[in-house]
Amino acid sequence: MTAELDIRQVTTDEAGELFTLRRAAFVTEAQQYGDPHIPPLTQTLEELVADLQRDDVVTLGGWDGPRLVGSIRVLVEDKKATLGRFAVAPDLQGQGFGTQLLLAILPYLPDGIEEVWVFTGRDSVQNIALYAKHGYEHQHDQTAGDLTYAFLRKSLVETPDVHEDDR
């Protein structure tokens, strides 16, 4: 049974912990893609602190006791939220902590958000499966440098069923 995480916003006082967690978590992804220059690994601590202070960014952390074991960053733009920098400590991946963080996001979003987007490496099969399991649908792929990202979207707006006769 997975422990229930204490999920809350990360403060600037916790930036060093978050910095360390992201470095550890994204090394695996960098190795998978053969690119040590992915943004989570090149961001400086000063840039991370500045990011935590932005009004349009919500960064959640998940603590198991005193240890920060996971985090997720949400960029809010008008009616859209974009998830990124989703990280779980390498020794704890696959134990449900990522799912807890993913499900914890919605209460932290401002009113009026209609859709949530996420992107991950197109070859990150486990990540894509996790998002799909929670209602995110693949929309398109986009190449940036040597990497191809898969973009997935989840609508938060109820759409009425359209019947053939109503068109």
Side-chain angles (χ1 to χ4, degrees), residues 10-162:
V10 178
T11 67
T12 54
D13 289 344
E14 297 159 332
E17 268 185 283
L18 178 59
F19 187 75
T20 301
L21 170 70
R22 284 187 181 165
R23 290 282 165 114
F26 281 98
V27 163
T28 309
E29 189 126 339
Q31 290 171 334
Q32 178 179 350
Y33 291 101
D35 183 358
H37 304 292
I38 61 176
L41 296 180
T42 59
Q43 183 180 44
T44 66
L45 180 58
E46 293 75 21
E47 290 168 340
L48 174 59
V49 168
D51 194 61
L52 289 171
Q53 295 172 330
R54 289 176 52 174
D55 290 336
D56 60 342
V57 171
V58 176
T59 301
L60 297 181
W63 281 262
D64 183 19
R67 181 181 177 198
L68 178 63
V69 300
S71 71
I72 191 164
R73 177 187 185 271
V74 184
L75 174 64
V76 176
E77 303 168 285
D78 194 28
K79 296 179 181 188
K80 173 183 166 185
T82 304
L83 310 181
R85 309 275 164 101
F86 191 8
V88 173
D91 62 314
L92 298 173
Q93 291 175 3
Q95 296 184 31
F97 293 127
T99 297
Q100 288 183 49
L101 281 161
L102 191 60
L103 296 176
I105 292 165
L106 295 182
Y108 288 91
L109 297 178
D111 291 341
I113 297 294
E114 295 181 356
E115 58 185 5
V116 181
W117 284 80
V118 65
F119 62 94
T120 188
R122 185 180 60 193
D123 298 330
S124 298
V125 178
Q126 288 177 312
N127 295 355
I128 292 171
L130 173 67
Y131 298 130
K133 179 179 174 183
H134 294 287
Y136 292 80
E137 297 178 1
H138 183 264
Q139 301 296 307
H140 65 275
D141 291 337
Q142 182 177 330
T143 301
D146 293 337
L147 295 177
T148 300
Y149 295 97
F151 285 78
L152 298 94
R153 176 183 168 272
K154 179 177 185 171
S155 176
L156 302 180
V157 179
E158 293 291 323
T159 53
D161 292 334
V162 177

